[in-house]
Amino acid sequence: MPEKAHYGLLKGKKGIVFGPLDESSIGWQIALHAYREGAQVALSNVATAIRFGKLQELSELCGNAPILICDASKNEEVDNTFRELKETMGSVDFIVHSIGMSQNIRKQVPYEELNYEWFMRTLDVSGISFHRLVAYALKNEALNDGASIVALSYIASQRNYWTYSDMGDAKSLLESIARSFGPRLAPRGIRINTISQSPTYTKAGSGIPGFEKMYDYSELMSPLGNASAEECAEYTMTILSDLTRKVTMQNLFHDGGYSSMGATIPMIKLAHEALHDKELAERVGLEGRHSSR
């Protein structure tokens, strides 16, 4: 397949991407695309991810990008990371937050029985860490005027997705943090947004119980189909570039139209068939809703 076109959207810019792990991760694709669009990129993740992931490979693909070890849930580590970043690259033009985890989901704990210590950890790592990155970037004067800050979200921040559990709460917090920072950053022309991406087969995403069903359902409900990690990265380039310098405090849906759909004809037909098939209705948990008409 021929190499995709690149447009120099980030030529002369510098930035850091938090959370890339391997080629399946959205953070990985964003870092790679940013480099191909002309940016100088730094990479960051926790020590275990650096040890067991493929960040060295990504670094080489991004022109030997510096790798900074950072647990974004720890104040001191975030502070040190931005100090080191500034010493290594100077102040930056973009920050990407691609971080999320839930032990409750990993252990398949029902939402009504959440382990609260794990719940707080979910909120800290997946939501509050976004505030921490922005706050310490500002304290260390590591952000240039006109910079762009982006975090990755999911529609479960606004609608209930049963198995997404406490991550839905964390994504709601993430989006609220972006709105709260927006007017505070605006005097310097810095904008901050979240991108609500389709279900994506990443290491984190595929660990959600029933993820393949969520993915298939979203694919059927999205007029353009699910967006891939690579397509999300391409969209993110526009949000990091100067083309969107008046876009801020937004939750931007990148989901093939899923978020605007009520139903599709194939899904209506599928539900109709299921409701008229007693055995199938019982198998998928629709007992009592079977229609004999």
Side-chain angles (χ1 to χ4, degrees):
M1 188 188 330
E3 177 93 11
K4 285 194 174 183
H6 297 285
Y7 308 95
L9 291 177
L10 304 182
K11 187 176 180 180
K13 293 189 180 295
K14 297 176 289 184
I16 183 168
V17 180
F18 288 87
L21 180 66
D22 59 25
E23 52 271 88
S24 74
S25 71
I26 298 173
W28 174 294
Q29 293 296 334
I30 288 174
L32 188 58
H33 278 70
Y35 175 72
R36 290 175 175 173
E37 289 294 341
Q40 183 182 353
V41 182
L43 313 171
S44 182
N45 211 323
V46 296
T48 53
I50 293 172
R51 191 178 308 120
F52 297 109
K54 296 183 177 181
L55 257 70
Q56 187 56 50
E57 178 183 334
L58 178 60
S59 170
E60 293 169 6
L61 291 171
C62 294
N64 294 316
I67 299 174
L68 307 178
I69 299 173
C70 179
D71 181 340
S73 68
K74 295 181 178 177
N75 296 351
E76 185 177 353
E77 290 197 25
V78 176
D79 190 22
N80 289 338
T81 293
F82 280 106
R83 288 176 188 272
E84 185 178 351
L85 178 67
K86 195 171 180 186
E87 290 172 4
T88 304
M89 291 175 53
S91 53
V92 296
D93 303 291
F94 61 85
I95 295 173
V96 177
H97 178 286
S98 181
I99 303 169
M101 63 82 68
S102 168
Q103 289 170 280
N104 281 303
I105 290 178
R106 195 180 301 154
K107 301 292 186 180
Q108 300 189 30
V109 179
Y111 185 77
E112 60 273 23
E113 299 174 14
L114 290 181
N115 177 307
Y116 290 117
E117 288 185 12
W118 294 351
F119 188 15
M120 295 303 294
R121 179 72 174 155
T122 298
L123 295 177
D124 196 11
V125 173
S126 309
I128 296 171
S129 64
F130 188 36
H131 187 288
R132 196 175 281 112
L133 295 186
V134 179
Y136 279 101
L138 294 171
K139 287 175 183 177
N140 285 286
E141 299 181 345
L143 272 172
N144 289 325
D145 291 351
S148 179
I149 303 168
V150 172
L152 294 170
S153 190
Y154 182 53
I155 196 172
S157 64
Q158 301 173 21
R159 303 182 192 175
N160 181 275
Y161 285 77
W162 193 279
T163 57
Y164 205 65
S165 190
D166 57 348
M167 276 297 294
D169 301 318
K171 294 299 188 184
S172 295
L173 176 57
L174 184 86
E175 292 174 16
S176 180
I177 288 168
R179 289 189 294 272
S180 295
F181 260 123
R184 293 170 168 87
L185 298 170
R188 293 181 54 197
I190 299 172
R191 67 255 196 221
I192 183 167
N193 297 285
T194 57
I195 294 175
S196 187
Q197 164 70 356
S198 300
T200 310
Y201 271 102
T202 63
K203 279 278 195 309
S206 56
I208 298 169
F211 177 81
E212 68 286 348
K213 297 181 180 67
M214 292 170 61
Y215 184 91
D216 290 344
Y217 175 78
S218 179
E219 178 74 16
L220 286 170
M221 285 290 290
S222 305
L224 292 176
N226 288 329
S228 68
E230 184 178 11
E231 288 168 332
C232 183
E234 291 171 339
Y235 178 56
T236 304
M237 295 305 100
T238 67
I239 308 305
L240 299 181
S241 79
D242 291 339
L243 297 176
T244 53
R245 55 186 173 271
K246 289 297 173 68
V247 179
T248 194
M249 301 166 66
Q250 302 299 306
N251 181 52
L252 303 160
F253 287 101
H254 184 255
D255 60 6
Y258 174 87
S259 52
S260 293
M261 287 299 295
T264 62
I265 294 299
M267 287 302 299
I268 291 171
K269 288 180 177 178
L270 190 62
H272 179 79
E273 292 296 323
L275 289 171
H276 284 75
D277 184 326
K278 184 177 181 180
E279 183 181 341
L280 179 57
E282 290 175 352
R283 193 160 71 243
V284 299
L286 291 174
E287 301 92 337
R289 300 190 186 186
H290 165 257
S291 175
S292 58
R293 290 183 297 167

